[in-house]
Amino acid sequence: MQRTVYAVLALVVLATALSGCTGVPGVEETEQFDRTVAVEPESSIVVINHNGNVAVTVREGNDVLITAVKRSVYGRGELDKVEIEVTEGDPLRVETVHTGFNPRVSVDYTISLPPTVVLQRVESSNGRIELSGVRVTETELLTSNGRVTVNGAPGGDLVATSSNGRIELSGVEGYVMATTSNAGITVEDCGGITGLATSNGAITAEIPAIRGDMTVSSSNAGITLRFAEDLNARVAATTSNGRITVHNLMLQLEESTGTSVSGTLGAGGPTVSVRTSNAGIDLFGP
């Protein structure tokens, strides 16, 4: 009996010791990377991650502050399979580089930029992307299985793309486009919209301006839009197994059947197509 107990204990100790090698999760190991880079005004930055969160904020000064935290529950050896590579220039490039096979590591970035530096692109997966007060110009934010949140972005246009992650855009000075799936989209206080699309998620958006024909689409979830008072556009909204309701909106009706509504705002113009299924659409005035 004693031999059996000793044998079981030995196996437990061995499994614990080899947890990093056998695929059995253990205690989380971390390693932090810090770097300060001097940059020129009006220059740009690109951030490429593979598995983890990216948060970008604004700061005073002429330097970019970069902090990256590598994390793994499969032993410190996994951390060695990932390096943080910083390539100076314009754009400044910050990238997670895999130096070993199939690293089971996530990397979380916190980056602070001078107010004149433009964030050109952020790419990741299995993590969220967060921007606060960062300058953008034709900026792309791409992730999967993560939320995209922007709270203030002076400058120009922005495109946000995710899957299985909610997108929330607020205070973008330029035009925005947002695409995701299995999650909702919220847009407010932005310069304009060029398109919004999701599935199995609700869309709530303010539409102050459009540049051309654009679409707002979802499925199995409702859409709520608020149009600016001075917007000149045509609106065409359709749904199935839901209703379309117009609230205090000066829409000159062309068609209204309950599940299909179309008409013009102001002098008319490009078409805003609004589509969903198995849910309602609410169209509001200012």
Side-chain angles (χ1 to χ4, degrees):
M1 185 67 173
Q2 268 188 327
R3 290 182 180 177
T4 302
V5 172
Y6 290 151
V8 171
L9 288 174
L11 287 174
V12 170
V13 170
L14 181 62
T16 302
L18 296 179
S19 61
C21 301
T22 61
V24 179
V27 177
E28 182 181 70
E29 300 281 356
T30 64
E31 182 177 297
Q32 183 165 316
F33 170 94
D34 294 289
R35 179 83 173 266
T36 300
V37 181
V39 292
E40 294 294 326
E42 312 300 332
S43 61
S44 59
I45 181 173
V46 173
V47 182
I48 306 296
N49 197 13
H50 296 289
N51 184 29
N53 306 317
V54 178
V56 188
T57 60
V58 70
R59 64 179 297 272
E60 294 302 321
N62 300 315
D63 299 332
V64 173
L65 304 183
I66 304 165
T67 296
V69 180
K70 298 189 289 186
R71 307 178 187 275
S72 180
V73 295
Y74 294 98
R76 294 202 65 83
E78 292 296 303
L79 302 181
D80 296 334
K81 297 179 180 180
V82 168
E83 291 184 357
I84 311 303
E85 188 173 277
V86 177
T87 305
E88 298 189 30
D90 187 8
L92 171 67
R93 185 178 178 91
V94 181
E95 184 172 5
T96 303
V97 177
H98 291 177
T99 58
F101 176 73
N102 191 29
R104 292 169 294 183
V105 179
S106 66
V107 181
D108 294 335
Y109 284 92
T110 302
I111 299 174
S112 297
L113 309 179
T116 62
V117 171
V118 175
L119 178 64
Q120 190 177 101
R121 180 183 178 91
V122 176
E123 182 177 336
S124 189
S125 62
N126 301 312
R128 62 185 178 274
I129 296 175
E130 299 176 347
L131 269 59
S132 180
V134 178
R135 183 166 293 278
V136 299
T137 299
E138 298 183 359
T139 298
E140 294 181 288
L141 309 177
L142 302 95
T143 188
S144 59
N145 302 312
R147 179 188 295 257
V148 176
T149 304
V150 177
N151 184 14
D157 299 347
L158 181 144
V159 175
T161 304
S162 182
S163 60
N164 303 311
R166 183 172 180 79
I167 296 178
E168 297 178 350
L169 308 178
S170 175
V172 180
E173 197 169 27
Y175 281 69
V176 300
M177 174 179 288
T179 304
T180 188
S181 60
N182 300 313
I185 296 173
T186 301
V187 178
E188 59 183 10
D189 190 28
C190 294
I193 293 178
T194 57
L196 306 173
T198 186
S199 60
N200 301 312
I203 296 177
T204 301
E206 299 173 354
I207 303 184
I210 58 176
R211 285 177 172 155
D213 293 348
M214 54 91 76
T215 299
V216 179
S217 66
S218 182
S219 61
N220 301 313
I223 296 176
T224 302
L225 302 179
R226 187 175 298 276
F227 295 87
E229 184 176 10
D230 59 351
L231 185 66
N232 295 314
R234 180 176 180 272
V235 178
T238 58
T239 184
S240 59
N241 301 316
R243 290 192 62 81
I244 301 173
T245 308
V246 178
H247 310 266
N248 192 34
L249 179 65
M250 299 299 291
L251 184 66
Q252 304 170 48
L253 288 175
E254 301 170 357
E255 178 187 25
S256 179
T257 65
T259 59
S260 179
V261 170
S262 62
T264 58
L265 295 173
T271 298
V272 179
S273 299
V274 188
R275 300 194 296 264
T276 189
S277 59
N278 301 314
I281 296 175
D282 288 281
L283 306 176
F284 285 85

